[in-house]
């Protein structure tokens, strides 16, 4: 008998990553696996294999009984546009333009899901967050799915969200990649050697935040000091909620699954990998090969 295909709903609750995935349960747009998945190489291989297909949710992560992993939510234009309430991928750009013109300011809350469990002593990020390795050429595992959030005076009164690939070189410190000319580059330049720059790294966030972090390199229409979360809220159709960080002068996305609180230190150099540090050569040895387009 032919297998009946179940289409994803035309209206989804996207106020959190969990609600978005729950909206896809029971449809062909989400594959759920209870089989153990390895963050080293295996997850990236599956993501590439299913590129252009279903989103995936893995409930059993090797070495991390506390964690689940998801990937490929944004693997098809049709699912992206449907997720944000648009029926034709060719029309999605108009919704983005409307959001740029009419942002919905983020909403500050006091209690947030991202702070239900707090670890503020003996911090070892490796024990808690399953960072992945993309290829055998990677010199280590990369935290690439975290949304960097800088707010308040450190972003000229606004809020900035972006992706910055990180390689944790120790239990509580990491390299931090900044694209030249980006808002994060402007922040680092403005506050260079003037003290630590407080920020949070937010993982497992509402899809509109992911969209904004990955597509916000448009500084003619998103000047420094703007509210990038406001644009994300307009795309989502409701305010993005954020909450005061517990340990630094920064904000966290309330509906994030994980948040790392910390700061960018512009007075010290952290090499991107062990081999780069050993050879004292930056940007020479393979690192973040997925950024060069092997998965694109």
């Amino acid at each position: 008998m032919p297998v009946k295909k179940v289409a994803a709903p035309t209206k989804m609750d996207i106020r959190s990553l969990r609600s978005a995935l729950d909206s896809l349960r029971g449809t062909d747009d989400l594959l759920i696996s209870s089989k153990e998945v390895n963050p080293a190489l295996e997850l990236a291989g599956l993501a590439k294999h299913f590129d252009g297909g279903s989103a995936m949710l893995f409930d059993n992560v090797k070495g991390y009984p506390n964690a689940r992993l998801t990937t490929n939510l944004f693997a098809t234009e049709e699912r992206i546009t449907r997720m944000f309430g648009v029926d034709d991928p060719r029309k999605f750009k108009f919704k983005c333009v409307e959001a740029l013109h009419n942002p919905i300011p983020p909403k500050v809350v006091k209690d947030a899901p991202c702070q239900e469990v707090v670890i503020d002593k003996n911090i070892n990020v490796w024990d808690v967050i399953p960072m992945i390795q993309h290829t055998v050429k990677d010199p280590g595992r990369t935290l690439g799915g975290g949304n960097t959030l800088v707010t308040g005076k450190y972003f000229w009164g606004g809020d900035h969200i972006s992706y910055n690939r990180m390689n944790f070189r120790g239990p509580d410190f990491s390299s931090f990649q900044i694209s030249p000319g980006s808002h994060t580059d402007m922040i680092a330049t403005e506050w260079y050697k003037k003290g630590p720059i407080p920020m949070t790294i937010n993982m497992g966030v509402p899809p509109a935040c992911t969209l904004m972090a990955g597509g916000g390199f448009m500084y003619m229409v998103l000047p420094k000091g703007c509210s990038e979360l406001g644009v994300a809220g307009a795309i989502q159709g409701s305010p993005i909620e954020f909450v005061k960080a517990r340990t630094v002068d920064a904000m966290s996305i309330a509906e994030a699954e994980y948040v790392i609180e910390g700061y960018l230190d512009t007075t010290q150099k952290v090499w991107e990998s062990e081999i780069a540090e050993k050879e004292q050569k930056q940007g020479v040895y393979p690192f973040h090969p997925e950024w060069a387009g092997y998965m694109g």
Side-chain angles (χ1 to χ4, degrees):
M1 293 180 62
V3 177
K4 183 180 179 181
K5 291 190 174 183
V6 181
T10 55
K11 186 171 179 58
M12 297 171 55
D13 182 356
I14 57 172
R15 290 172 294 178
S16 70
L17 177 61
R18 289 195 187 197
S19 64
L21 292 173
D22 285 341
S23 295
L24 295 175
R25 286 181 183 272
T27 75
D28 294 327
D29 267 300
L30 180 65
L31 297 178
I32 302 175
S33 174
S34 59
K35 186 176 180 180
E36 183 179 80
V37 66
N38 193 335
L41 299 177
E42 191 172 18
L43 182 76
L46 288 167
K48 178 59 180 173
H49 182 75
F50 283 90
D51 194 17
S54 301
M56 293 178 285
L57 176 63
F58 298 92
D59 289 330
N60 187 356
V61 182
K62 184 176 182 179
Y64 293 88
N66 62 293
R68 296 187 294 171
L69 286 173
T70 186
T71 187
N72 284 23
L73 181 63
F74 282 73
T76 73
E77 286 183 336
E78 291 74 19
R79 184 162 57 248
I80 294 171
T81 53
R82 196 165 57 243
M83 191 160 44
F84 294 109
V86 180
D87 58 5
D88 183 348
R90 293 173 298 181
K91 297 178 181 178
F92 184 56
K93 59 188 175 185
F94 298 114
K95 176 152 192 170
C96 294
V97 170
E98 180 68 17
L100 286 166
H101 286 297
N102 299 283
I104 299 177
K107 178 182 178 182
V108 179
V109 297
K110 291 185 177 180
D111 298 311
C114 72
Q115 294 181 348
E116 289 176 354
V117 177
V118 177
I119 301 171
D120 57 8
K121 295 180 177 64
N122 302 317
I123 295 170
N124 189 333
V125 174
W126 286 99
D127 289 343
V128 181
I129 298 174
M131 293 171 272
I132 73 171
Q133 182 179 356
H134 292 85
T135 76
V136 293
K137 290 185 177 181
D138 274 333
R141 297 191 189 185
T142 302
L143 180 60
N147 293 256
T148 303
L149 183 60
V150 181
T151 56
K153 71 176 184 179
Y154 295 95
F155 188 58
W156 296 274
D159 47 80
H160 166 58
I161 186 169
S162 64
Y163 283 121
N164 300 89
R165 285 147 173 93
M166 291 164 277
N167 177 25
F168 270 81
R169 300 295 316 282
D172 61 355
F173 72 95
S174 171
S175 63
F176 190 79
Q177 182 183 23
I178 299 175
S179 298
S182 66
H183 272 165
T184 315
D185 186 31
M186 298 175 195
I187 293 165
T189 301
E190 176 72 16
W191 295 94
Y192 184 66
K193 293 188 176 181
K194 295 178 182 177
I197 303 167
M199 58 175 56
T200 60
I201 310 300
N202 302 261
M203 292 144 280
V205 298
C209 294
T210 300
L211 182 77
M212 198 64 208
F217 226 111
M218 306 173 292
Y219 302 136
M220 292 297 288
V221 292
L222 289 171
K224 61 184 183 182
C226 72
S227 176
E228 295 178 10
L229 287 184
V231 178
I235 294 173
Q236 175 178 282
S238 61
I240 301 295
E241 294 185 347
F242 60 9
V243 65
K244 181 73 173 65
R246 293 290 188 93
T247 62
V248 295
D249 183 19
M251 304 297 287
S252 304
I253 297 174
E255 291 289 345
E257 295 289 331
Y258 294 93
V259 174
I260 300 174
E261 299 182 0
Y263 54 87
L264 180 65
D265 186 353
T266 59
T267 65
Q268 298 186 49
K269 180 169 184 174
V270 177
W271 292 89
E272 67 264 36
S273 65
E274 290 182 11
I275 186 171
E277 183 172 5
K278 179 181 178 182
E279 300 296 331
Q280 296 287 291
K281 294 180 179 179
Q282 183 178 359
V284 174
Y285 298 98
F287 194 54
H288 304 142
E290 94 286 9
W291 193 52
Y294 91 91
M295 292 190 71

